[in-house]
Amino acid sequence: MRQTFDETTDRSFGPKHVPLIRKAMEAQGLDGFLVPHEDEHQNEYLPAANDRLAWATGFTGSAGAAVILKDKAAVFVDGRYTIQVRDQVDPDFFEIRDLVDGGVPAYLETVAKRGQTIGYDPRLHSPDALHHLKTAAARAGAELKPVASNPLDEAWGAARPPQPTAPVVPHPLEYAGEDSATKRAGVGEIVEKKGADAAVITAPGSLAWLFNIRGGDVIRTPLPLGQAILNKDGTARLFLDPAKVTPELPAWLGNQVRLETPDDLPQALADLKGKRVAIDPAQSSAWYFEALAKAGAEVVRAEDPCAIPRACKNPVEIEGTRKAHARDGAALTRFLHWLGTEGQETPPDEITAVQKLEAFREATGALKDLSFDTIAGALSNGAICHYRPTARLNKRAEKGSLLLVDSGGQYLDGTTDVTRTVAIGEPSREMCERFTLVLKGHLALARVRFPAGTTGSQLDALARLALWEHGLDYDHGTGHGVGSYLGVHEGPQRIAKAPNTVALRPGMIVSNEPGYYKEGEYGIRIENLQFVTEAQDIPGGERPMHGFETLTLAPIDRRLVVKDLLTPVELAQFDAYHARVREVVGPLVDGEVRAWLDEVTAPL
């Protein structure tokens, strides 16, 4: 089994580790230190060696921060983790604060004292984030100071895990759809149009996409950690740990890519003296900006030039992800059949459900990894948005309850992410009504048509409207981008309340996952992946409109649907989706599973 159910932290981490950090802070003359969740590569999911926030506090969520002062400390999380953080972090030792509403800057402005020096590691903070932090500290009369040696790393010492050295391998053209030389030439043109001679690229997803390579340095994601300098003519320097370089890699990269080590990076940045260099202030850490400025390069603050081309999947990638979702949908259908038959008679616990689903995916023979640790939330655990089952927290589903399962797989031809909420036994009327409100939002976002230039934030309310009309909502985004055998969370596109200036373009994959969570009782989420289609004319219309094509194919629990709450359009859409599931997934399953699938996808 790929997923484990051990806990890597506990509430004692803060009381044990913060005093060690404070001792290291004191040795450097610091009154405080900032601990972001992000690492040197601004990763969301981290190698164990870079999971500093977890080591300092015990909190293992994928977004957060901490501030450690001499006499107090605070942990910051967003709405997805308000329950989890109270379980993992000692509230007597850390104040728990909102990451989004004011966040760390507001906290610094309130608690920092005049004359204090608060340290930060410039390799871990983007310039954009640092600007807000420095402004807030200055208002309090304090100073933010970069450190040459991270006091948390010093405190961690020999117990810190080693940096990952997973092999970096070619990603074949049959899956990538475009060779690296063509990609590099196209991105080089983008760099030139930005008025730059070269671009520094530090996002692991961009490296993997640009050079058609994959690795394994980041959990559940085939990413290689490294850096690159791409010249406007398409030539490049790629910096990888030699321990990760496989024998076939140099020939795969070709003569226009110079393979070097991370130790060569400082000199390579110095070599950019006098050149205009593009670098993304939201993706790359302040350390790169300081190194380029010191070298005498002219910094051009610009979005990662790989971000949009990587997000807009080519036809080969789209066809690959269709195949991956059909394969994954068959595995998920076998799991849902088990849950809908045996699981109804003998309700499973969360760990059993996770292991069963993983086994069905393994049986495809194509699974490379999970795309994230499976979330299986029974009873009240379902109300924890990013819950992960552990031996301590494991609950058994009960009749009359809901089981929320959010999972995905990594395949060479695509990355999947799907959530289904299943009734165990007879659900309550309230569960069914709120499930149906979530379903109405999900259907609205799946069928919407929109003009060019529309952003995800402009569509977000469609998924929430039915909930809002009943005084309900959810505290997470509605949709995130997804890579092609890359990260299950990929930007720059997203669908959320937060403003986003990135227009949705053809080929972009996004999730559609509205939800509802009743703390202490149950959770509901319905998630499919979908991609943006080319704009088409609508009969009688004046402008061509984009839409979405749904990728995920798996039955949605009809027992939870209150038919009277759906409009005729919604009923027809729901039945059409299930007809497509039967058409595509049906031939991939047989026997009892096929008969069950026909039954549970019958028209409402």
Side-chain angles (χ1 to χ4, degrees), residues 83-101:
I83 300 174
Q84 180 178 327
V85 71
R86 295 198 297 270
D87 178 68
Q88 293 184 317
V89 173
D90 186 342
D92 294 330
F93 201 82
F94 287 96
E95 182 181 354
I96 296 173
R97 307 270 300 214
D98 192 307
L99 182 66
V100 178
D101 186 14

Side-chain angles (χ1 to χ4, degrees), residues 560-571:
L560 286 165
V561 179
V562 180
K563 184 177 176 180
D564 293 345
L565 291 179
L566 297 181
T567 66
V569 169
E570 291 167 339
L571 278 168

Side-chain angles (χ1 to χ4, degrees), residues 102-176:
V104 178
Y107 180 77
L108 287 178
E109 194 169 342
T110 303
V111 305
K113 297 185 173 111
R114 184 167 297 280
Q116 284 189 327
T117 301
I118 298 171
Y120 69 91
D121 187 335
R123 292 177 180 267
L124 309 181
H125 298 265
S126 71
D128 284 356
L130 267 182
H131 171 75
H132 297 295
L133 294 168
K134 287 181 175 179
T135 300
R139 284 177 180 153
E143 176 193 6
L144 286 194
K145 176 184 176 182
V147 297
S149 177
N150 188 315
L152 187 153
D153 293 350
E154 292 178 5
W156 204 345
R160 184 182 180 191
Q163 289 293 329
T165 55
V168 177
V169 299
H171 187 54
L173 194 59
E174 65 181 290
Y175 303 118

Side-chain angles (χ1 to χ4, degrees), residues 384-429:
I384 306 173
C385 300
H386 276 210
Y387 169 77
R388 183 181 74 88
T390 66
R392 176 177 64 89
L393 299 173
N394 184 37
K395 287 187 176 182
R396 181 173 296 279
E398 299 174 358
K399 292 188 177 182
S401 72
L402 300 180
L403 177 63
L404 185 156
V405 181
D406 186 350
S407 67
Q410 291 283 11
Y411 305 93
L412 286 172
D413 48 5
T415 299
T416 70
D417 181 5
V418 51
T419 307
R420 290 294 182 263
T421 304
V422 177
I424 305 297
E426 189 68 27
S428 69
R429 176 71 183 185

